Amino acid sequence: MGGNMDFNEIVEGATVYLPVSAPGALLYVGDGHALQGDGELNGNALETSMELEFRVDVISGKHSIPGPRVESATHIMTMGLGGSLDDAFRSATDNMARWLTDTYSLTPSEVAQVLGTSAEYKVSEVADRNAGIVLKVNKDRLQALQGK
């Protein structure tokens, strides 16, 4: 389940990780945006039809993730959706903390240090009843943690 993921950095080459909460779940890909600024402020972007090719893999045996995650060539990103920007902020931050803990075996104190020095927040959605925040961490900042 991804929800309304109108985020302008989900582009060609990005990997999207979605939690699966129902056996035999289906996948739906919604409206395409040819161009969109941060936040989709007025409920519209430059809407377009899509012709795309993508691959779906089910990753078995992994911990359940709390929400959508995106990986680009330069960043890992977590998405938070909520009834307010505060709720979305907390959701994105919790999702990233779990990702850092699971992938790099960081303690809560170490996660706080990474986020306190590396977190980049973007507003992805404020157009409808949901608000969206994306938390980005540059992969360059995480290279030193690879051997941890």
Side-chain angles (χ1 to χ4, degrees):
M1 168 61 179
N4 192 9
M5 295 174 47
D6 290 333
F7 178 48
N8 59 11
E9 292 188 44
I10 299 177
V11 296
E12 184 176 356
T15 300
V16 177
Y17 301 95
L18 299 172
V20 178
S21 57
L26 302 175
L27 178 64
Y28 168 78
V29 177
D31 60 318
H33 295 178
L35 187 62
Q36 173 190 316
D38 288 344
E40 195 182 17
L41 297 174
N42 61 356
N44 295 304
L46 184 55
E47 307 286 334
T48 186
S49 60
M50 294 186 294
E51 184 173 314
L52 59 125
E53 185 176 318
F54 60 94
R55 185 179 82 215
V56 176
D57 295 314
V58 176
I59 304 172
S60 298
K62 287 286 222 178
H63 294 109
S64 177
I65 62 174
R69 294 176 176 174
V70 180
E71 187 170 354
S72 71
T74 58
H75 289 81
I76 61 171
M77 299 171 259
T78 54
M79 303 184 75
L81 289 174
S84 69
L85 286 173
D86 287 345
D87 291 342
F89 181 92
R90 281 189 289 277
S91 177
T93 304
D94 177 63
N95 193 350
M96 182 62 76
R98 290 184 190 200
W99 197 351
L100 294 172
T101 299
D102 293 344
T103 303
Y104 300 101
S105 301
L106 299 183
T107 66
S109 177
E110 291 168 329
V111 167
Q113 290 176 34
V114 170
L115 294 181
T117 60
S118 305
E120 303 172 39
Y121 288 94
K122 291 187 80 173
V123 175
S124 63
E125 173 83 30
V126 291
D128 54 25
R129 65 184 173 274
N130 287 314
I133 295 282
V134 174
L135 169 50
K136 301 171 53 174
V137 174
N138 192 303
K139 289 180 177 179
D140 289 345
R141 300 294 208 121
L142 302 172
Q143 285 186 331
L145 302 175
Q146 294 294 345
K148 184 180 176 327

